[in-house]
Amino acid sequence: MIDFILSAPIFLLAFVLVISIVVVIHELGHYWVGRWCGVTIESFSIGFGPTLLAWTDKHDTVWRVAALPLGGYVKFLGDADAASAPDAEALATLKAKVSRERGPDAVKGVFHFLPLWRRAAIVAAGPVANFLLAIAIFAGIIMTAGVATTPAIVGTVLEDSAAEEAGFLPNDEILAIDGRTVESFTDVAQVVALRAGDPLRFDVLRDGETITLNATPRRTQREDPIGGKMSTGVLGIGQNMELNRERHGPVTAIAMGAGQTWTVVATTGDYLGRIIRGKEPADMLGGPIRIATYSGKTAVDTLAIEADPLQKLQILVLRLISLAGVVSVGLGLINLVPIPVLDGGHLLYYAYEAVAGRPLSERAQAFGFKVGLLLVASLMLFATWNDLIYLRGFFS
């Protein structure tokens, strides 16, 4: 605990760096597409709470940095609040005022008066920007530091494990799991981790011959990479220590970066689906506290390695940027959840408008935003509770 307190400034700085990168890019997605669509943008805020720094640009947009770096927002002309909830009475007054003072064409700068497709594009731009950021980060790492791959070859088989029971032997090469091709040991670990209790079929190459082994991963409480506790499926095999690291050119790196981004999306969707079906506990769902713990512990561990200061800095930046890529995918996915106040909720309203030919009633929209706010608050409380339980394991 004392070591943690002494390292608190490092934890805080690392967290602010990671979350700020992700939030700024998300909001810039809304901002740039909004600007392209001709919307008047009143303010751009990174963080919430008291303003630490503010300035006004040539477009009369107020840019501000706030004290709590747990999010941000872009406020368009016509928004009632940072969640872009419309205020019917205010919009009617605004429409009359703008038309009178600036001419009829001035209403084009009001977000809620835009054509449906433009509003949808502006809203979707935030999550899309997060996915593009993740692809860029992963591709950049692949081009500069290279990508490490460990062949899906069994190095060791633990006694009394699911793997031993299934008949795995050292030097077996795993080709596919339930018909899905695997290319590295990491692929195997990702599949097994979310299949505790599920029988799996493994296609294995042994002595030049392909055989089939059936194994059921066992749920095990184990340490995660930074010392916390996590419940996951375990097969009981160790990897072959042969390791390859290879750099790639821009085209291949972007394709691989997109593939890594999709893997994070698919794994997250798979995990959420298993939670709904009651096959996985929800203890891996975390929030800002866990992100802060991961980023801070990454920074502390990096600074503790034996290397010269420049090397430490390079490794630290690489690790934190890589973490930002994963967090960026998570933020993009969360914002696409169809809950009012989130981007996905706005898109749900627009989908209704497109089908019905008219917007959802003002009363229904207002009610939806209230319910959405309650749901988001509940999810945040649940994630925070999970994080506190996680931290208990972290400190034990």
Side-chain angles (χ1 to χ4, degrees):
M1 175 64 79
I2 294 177
D3 290 341
F4 176 80
I5 294 175
L6 294 175
S7 301
I10 298 176
F11 272 63
L12 179 61
L13 289 173
F15 169 71
V16 169
L17 174 64
V18 169
I19 206 70
S20 294
I21 291 172
V22 173
V23 169
V24 167
I25 295 300
H26 179 94
E27 298 305 328
L28 282 175
H30 293 310
Y31 174 86
W32 284 116
V33 176
R35 182 72 72 198
W36 176 74
C37 289
V39 179
T40 298
I41 301 172
E42 296 185 330
S43 60
F44 185 108
S45 178
I46 300 302
F48 299 100
T51 299
L52 300 179
L53 180 66
W55 67 95
T56 302
D57 66 16
K58 63 181 180 180
H59 300 289
D60 291 329
T61 299
V62 177
W63 295 74
R64 64 189 293 267
V65 178
L68 300 176
L70 300 179
Y73 62 87
V74 176
K75 189 173 184 296
F76 301 119
L77 181 64
D79 287 349
D81 51 39
S84 288
D87 185 322
E89 184 177 346
L91 285 175
T93 303
L94 179 62
K95 186 173 184 178
K97 179 181 178 182
V98 170
S99 297
R100 181 175 63 253
E101 297 181 359
R102 304 185 191 173
D105 290 341
V107 295
K108 295 180 180 179
V110 181
F111 172 76
H112 299 281
F113 297 157
L114 289 177
L116 177 61
W117 73 269
R118 288 181 181 264
R119 282 178 279 144
I122 293 170
V123 169
V128 169
N130 282 129
F131 297 136
L132 292 177
L133 171 63
I135 293 172
I137 287 175
F138 297 147
I141 292 174
I142 291 169
M143 286 189 293
T144 56
V147 58
T149 58
T150 306
I153 298 175
V154 177
T156 57
V157 179
L158 300 181
E159 293 184 4
D160 300 321
S161 65
E164 184 183 59
E165 182 179 305
F168 276 92
L169 297 176
N171 296 319
D172 282 348
E173 182 177 359
I174 300 173
L175 305 177
I177 303 176
D178 280 350
R180 171 186 169 185
T181 301
V182 297
E183 298 179 354
S184 67
F185 200 90
T186 301
D187 293 341
V188 177
Q190 288 176 340
V191 173
V192 169
L194 292 180
R195 290 296 181 272
D198 291 354
L200 298 175
R201 186 186 78 253
F202 293 82
D203 295 332
V204 174
L205 182 64
R206 178 184 294 171
D207 297 328
E209 180 183 354
T210 301
I211 62 174
T212 299
L213 299 176
N214 297 295
T216 302
R218 299 171 184 172
R219 184 168 300 285
T220 304
Q221 193 81 7
R222 60 191 303 186
E223 273 195 2
D224 66 17
I226 67 167
K229 302 295 183 182
M230 61 186 297
S231 175
T232 183
V234 173
L235 192 60
I237 57 175
Q239 66 184 21
N240 189 300
M241 295 311 295
E242 179 184 349
L243 189 64
N244 300 315
R245 179 173 290 275
E246 185 177 358
R247 296 178 183 177
H248 296 274
V251 175
T252 302
I254 291 173
M256 294 177 70
Q260 287 188 22
T261 300
W262 172 248
T263 296
V264 177
V265 171
T267 301
T268 303
D270 189 14
Y271 175 60
L272 293 176
R274 288 178 65 81
I275 291 176
I276 294 172
R277 297 195 301 273
K279 291 190 173 184
E280 290 288 339
D283 57 353
M284 291 176 66
L285 292 177
I289 294 177
R290 193 168 310 195
I291 295 174
T293 305
Y294 268 78
S295 55
K297 187 64 165 55
T298 298
V300 170
D301 288 349
T302 303
L303 294 175
I305 64 176
E306 294 184 4
D308 63 63
L310 181 58
Q311 287 179 317
K312 287 185 179 182
L313 180 61
Q314 291 173 335
I315 296 171
L316 176 60
V317 171
L318 182 67
R319 290 179 175 178
L320 291 180
I321 292 297
S322 179
L323 177 59
V326 176
V327 174
S328 188
V329 177
L331 182 62
L333 284 174
I334 289 171
N335 272 278
L336 285 177
V337 174
I339 296 177
V341 311
L342 297 179
D343 294 332
H346 289 284
L347 293 174
L348 181 64
Y349 283 171
Y350 299 155
Y352 172 88
E353 184 176 343
V355 173
R358 65 181 186 280
L360 195 64
S361 70
E362 297 165 5
R363 184 176 180 181
Q365 288 193 51
F367 178 75
F369 278 113
K370 291 178 181 178
V371 172
L373 187 61
L374 179 61
L375 286 173
V376 169
S378 300
L379 288 173
M380 286 297 296
L381 286 173
F382 179 75
T384 301
W385 175 255
N386 269 350
D387 288 347
L388 294 175
I389 298 298
Y390 172 81
L391 285 179
R392 185 177 63 183
F394 178 77
F395 287 123
S396 63

